[in-house]
Amino acid sequence: MSLHVETGPRADARAPGRRPRQGGRGPRGRLPAMFDLRVTPYLLISPYFLLFAVFGLFPLAFTFWTSLQKYELAGDAEFTGLDNYVKLMSDGDFWNAVVNTVGIFVLATVPQLVLALLLANALNKRIRGRLFFRMGVLIPLVTSIVAVAVVFTQLYGRDYGMINWILGLFGVDNIAWQNEKWSSWIAIATMVDWRWTGYNAIIYLAGMQTIPRDLYEAASIDGASPRRQFWQITLPMLRPIIVFTVFVSTIGGLTLFAEPVLFNNGRMDGGSTGQFQTVAMYIVEQGFRRFEYGYAATVAWMLFLLILVGVLINYFLARRIGGAK
Amino acid sequence: MTTITQTRPRVAGRVRDRRDPFRATPLTKAALIFTVLLSIFPIYWMIVIASRTTAQAVDVPPPLLPGGNLGENIARVFATEDAHFVTGLTNSLIVTSTVTFSVVVISTLAGFAFGRLRFRGRNLLLGSILITMMVPIQQMGVVPLYQLMVNLGWTGSLQAVILPFLLNGFGVFLMTQYTEQAVPQELVEAARVDGASTMRIYWNVVLPAVRPGMAVLALQTFMLNWNEFMWPLIVLTPENPTVQVSIAFLTGQHSTDYALIFTGTALSVLPLIIVFIAFGRQIVGGLMEGAVKA
């Protein structure tokens, strides 16, 4: 009895799914038209997936295969299993690069996104010349990363740099910004921040403008201060966009390359003791300065893992923003 | 009790005015102006140094106004043979234009298919694009990509820096979104009833409708690829560089001649600044639209 009752609705539910498919066989049965309907969609997406196979899937899979080999410029590749990974675990230079990358990333991203939020909040006010201000904060984006790195490296110059000159007015001795971990990290982080804060602010601003204004009006009538409204309305409503920017910043930050390279006149070592060598620089140093292809591929896979972990951690952190009620 | 009911409306009115969250205080305006100045300064500084002599570039206190040596410095950059600056600039224009054009074509084709056509495996394929957007293939896959280029004999050639960047999942995603929004399903159906083939629908119905989305994608792709540094540095030779590689070479070989380096740098961002001045409104609009959708 009970069995009968259960099967009844299930059969019913299946039926409507089938009907349109039969109808979709096409009222006109001409072969070219059928071919067009069935096959052309695949032709349209085929250029992308062809490129994806050659320049996406193949490099990723082959990176893994290469990472299992001792593969140098001279001589053949030799399968060595997980040797490269074992070597990597005790490679102080690699871990140094990981620490630098994560350190610079945190130092750059946290202030950047907080500043971007504040900036977006300011841009969202009623103000004359809105387009001027929006374009103004986006100007850094249209300079190239290399240009930013070159200009900031000069500004951070030890003897003639403007930043040391300004600090000197306050009685601070000239700093050799490249020489220490903390100073080089700060210098590189400011390059990243200068270029990307405005971009993130514009993204947040876009999100803020989709928040219905009556929410704020209602909150004002209830006596909530602007600050409280920011925390209780703006931030929770922006959460998906914040997750998006955190995500983009994580990938960008963990693959940081041009800024630290140009901060050191184009060299890959990141200073005399590698104080600002990032993982991406380490890959290039191993693979294309020392021609240890296998080992470079191993580092590349670790970079991927690092990004994966970074994205997950940040995702869970960002999900909590404004989530506590 | 009565006092409370009397005073309340008055206080509420005053508070409401003061607490209007969209009122720009003088502090807000000052902060915005300061931010814009800060955003402009390094670019201004680039021009100041680029228009000074090599000796003036290291003056303390630093020069704050542009000088008159810009033309001379430009001539010096072009004359610095080992930097191959003109080649770099030309190469960057060729590479970036080719990549931009191709990405727009590939993305509008795929975006049409994903956005408005029904086919088996659509969701799975679209999902795979979204997932791979998270992988920085151009950084991760440098070793096999390089080996691929060696085997093809393409190292040092422009196709080596063009082809890998034609793969742009973001473009497909953006155009899928845009097609769904800008091309009504009924229009596609109507064209079909009239006997139009899929490619004809693409050409006559879809392309005209998604043109604004194409412009946004083109601008973003152009800016992104103009910037590309790591891969060209690896795969190109110093004799046949892109402009970014050329500048890296300038900084490496002439590291004390800031007037020279800054002039090269200024020339390298000129195309971007021209694009920004011409299309700034669309860039701002495009970024904001894209953000809300993503």
Side-chain angles (χ1 to χ4, degrees):
Chain A
M1 183 60 199
S2 59
L3 268 175
H4 179 75
V5 178
E6 268 178 19
T7 49
R10 206 188 290 164
D12 271 357
R14 204 181 284 167
R18 239 179 228 172
R19 241 173 260 143
R21 206 188 290 168
Q22 281 168 342
R25 278 285 146 87
R28 292 169 301 154
R30 285 191 302 123
L31 199 65
M34 283 284 294
F35 179 84
D36 188 40
L37 270 180
R38 286 283 163 87
V39 180
T40 313
Y42 295 105
L43 293 179
L44 293 178
I45 60 172
S46 60
Y48 176 84
F49 282 96
L50 211 66
L51 285 164
F52 178 65
V54 179
F55 299 107
L57 273 187
F58 162 74
L60 290 187
F62 207 73
T63 301
F64 184 64
W65 174 238
T66 311
S67 76
L68 300 175
Q69 297 173 322
K70 187 170 177 60
Y71 188 174
E72 292 162 7
L73 180 67
D76 292 325
E78 178 195 334
F79 186 82
T80 53
L82 293 175
D83 277 7
N84 281 330
Y85 289 89
V86 173
K87 182 178 158 197
L88 192 77
M89 285 302 130
S90 55
D91 179 353
D93 289 345
F94 167 71
W95 291 108
N96 171 56
V98 170
V99 170
N100 289 340
T101 307
V102 174
I104 296 172
F105 162 66
V106 172
L107 208 55
T109 307
V110 174
Q112 181 192 141
L113 296 185
V114 172
L115 280 174
L117 263 177
L118 296 176
L119 190 56
N121 204 38
L123 285 168
N124 200 21
K125 311 259 169 175
R126 277 191 309 270
I127 198 161
R128 242 193 267 170
R130 278 167 39 189
L131 188 68
F132 167 77
F133 284 115
R134 286 178 194 180
M135 282 177 68
V137 301
L138 264 189
I139 283 176
L141 195 69
V142 297
T143 60
S144 69
I145 294 174
V146 167
V148 175
V150 166
V151 172
F152 274 75
T153 302
Q154 194 267 356
L155 288 171
Y156 278 110
R158 190 191 61 193
D159 297 322
Y160 313 108
M162 184 177 278
I163 289 166
N164 274 348
W165 176 69
I166 292 173
L167 288 175
L169 298 180
F170 297 96
V172 180
D173 287 338
N174 280 0
I175 298 169
W177 291 91
Q178 271 91 345
N179 284 8
E180 299 290 333
K181 252 189 206 292
W182 67 269
S183 57
S184 56
W185 288 13
I186 289 176
I188 293 164
T190 53
M191 297 180 198
V192 178
D193 285 350
W194 181 77
R195 193 173 140 85
W196 291 106
T197 304
Y199 165 82
N200 283 308
I202 292 294
I203 304 268
Y204 289 150
L205 174 65
M208 285 178 183
Q209 294 192 334
T210 63
I211 303 174
R213 296 237 157 170
D214 15 334
L215 279 180
Y216 292 103
E217 274 164 29
S220 291
I221 291 168
D222 289 346
S225 67
R227 179 167 300 167
R228 201 176 144 84
Q229 293 177 23
F230 178 79
W231 284 103
Q232 300 282 331
I233 301 173
T234 310
L235 220 49
M237 297 288 276
L238 275 187
R239 204 186 317 169
I241 289 192
I242 293 176
V243 170
F244 168 77
T245 57
V246 164
F247 179 76
V248 172
S249 311
T250 307
I251 294 181
L254 294 180
T255 56
L256 192 70
F257 180 75
E259 290 91 340
V261 167
L262 286 155
F263 194 50
N264 197 22
N265 284 330
R267 287 198 301 273
M268 296 297 153
D269 56 10
S272 49
T273 55
Q275 57 269 35
F276 52 92
Q277 186 180 45
T278 62
V279 178
M281 290 161 84
Y282 195 59
I283 294 175
V284 175
E285 190 189 22
Q286 289 297 330
F288 303 99
R289 297 291 177 268
R290 298 187 188 169
F291 302 103
E292 298 261 8
Y293 294 137
Y295 196 57
T298 313
V299 180
W301 261 100
M302 295 307 284
L303 176 63
F304 177 59
L305 281 185
L306 188 68
I307 290 169
L308 209 64
V309 171
V311 165
L312 286 177
I313 291 175
N314 285 315
Y315 178 70
F316 286 115
L317 282 180
R319 254 174 47 140
R320 293 184 55 183
I321 292 172
K325 293 250 161 119
Chain B
M1 185 65 201
T2 42
T3 33
I4 291 170
T5 38
Q6 270 172 354
T7 49
R8 208 174 205 172
R10 215 179 34 179
V11 171
R14 211 179 57 206
V15 165
R16 201 182 156 190
D17 186 47
R18 186 158 47 93
R19 289 188 171 176
D20 173 5
F22 295 108
R23 197 172 60 96
T25 60
L27 188 70
T28 311
K29 284 177 200 159
L32 281 176
I33 290 169
F34 179 72
T35 311
V36 171
L37 286 179
L38 211 61
S39 301
I40 292 172
F41 176 75
I43 299 171
Y44 174 74
W45 179 242
M46 191 161 71
I47 295 165
V48 169
I49 297 297
S51 59
R52 294 275 175 165
T53 64
T54 306
Q56 286 170 338
V58 292
D59 273 352
V60 176
L64 286 175
L65 291 172
N69 291 74
L70 184 61
E72 195 184 309
N73 285 334
I74 291 176
R76 277 205 305 140
V77 170
F78 288 158
T80 309
E81 279 179 14
D82 52 3
H84 299 279
F85 194 82
V86 181
T87 316
L89 211 53
T90 323
N91 282 345
S92 278
L93 282 173
I94 295 170
V95 169
T96 311
S97 320
T98 314
V99 169
T100 303
F101 178 79
S102 315
V103 164
V104 168
V105 171
I106 293 167
S107 303
T108 47
L109 285 171
F112 169 40
F114 282 123
R116 277 292 166 252
L117 299 178
R118 285 189 215 107
F119 55 97
R120 204 178 285 251
R122 174 191 173 276
N123 293 336
L124 192 73
L125 290 169
L126 188 60
S128 77
I129 293 181
L130 289 182
I131 289 171
T132 49
M133 271 167 67
M134 303 176 190
V135 185
I137 291 164
Q138 281 92 359
Q139 276 91 22
M140 254 203 78
V142 279
V143 175
L145 274 179
Y146 184 76
Q147 287 162 344
L148 183 69
M149 295 304 162
V150 171
N151 288 331
L152 291 169
W154 285 358
T155 47
S157 70
L158 292 188
Q159 59 263 41
V161 285
I162 292 175
L163 284 167
F165 290 97
L166 299 189
L167 178 64
N168 187 328
F170 170 76
V172 175
F173 175 69
L174 187 79
M175 289 322 295
T176 302
Q177 300 270 316
Y178 206 88
T179 307
E180 279 175 350
Q181 177 204 318
V183 184
Q185 184 75 52
E186 300 82 57
L187 210 59
V188 177
E189 306 278 324
R192 279 234 194 276
V193 171
D194 288 347
S197 67
T198 308
M199 282 318 287
R200 202 178 160 81
I201 296 174
Y202 169 73
W203 192 255
N204 288 343
V205 178
V206 176
L207 272 190
V210 299
R211 215 173 281 159
M214 288 164 72
V216 171
L217 178 62
L219 286 171
Q220 293 192 4
T221 312
F222 188 90
M223 298 203 300
L224 205 70
N225 277 278
W226 189 261
N227 259 311
E228 205 46 58
F229 178 59
M230 181 168 159
W231 178 241
L233 186 72
I234 292 171
V235 81
L236 293 182
T237 57
E239 291 76 39
N240 190 31
T242 61
V243 73
Q244 314 296 354
V245 176
S246 196
I247 289 176
F249 193 82
L250 269 184
T251 61
Q253 298 300 307
H254 306 268
S255 57
T256 52
D257 192 347
Y258 282 114
L260 183 74
I261 296 171
F262 273 46
T263 307
T265 312
L267 288 173
S268 81
V269 297
L270 201 63
L272 293 177
I273 289 176
I274 292 172
V275 166
F276 188 62
I277 290 170
F279 302 105
R281 196 183 285 265
Q282 284 90 327
I283 293 174
V284 176
L287 273 180
M288 292 183 64
E289 236 176 76
V292 179
K293 270 181 224 140

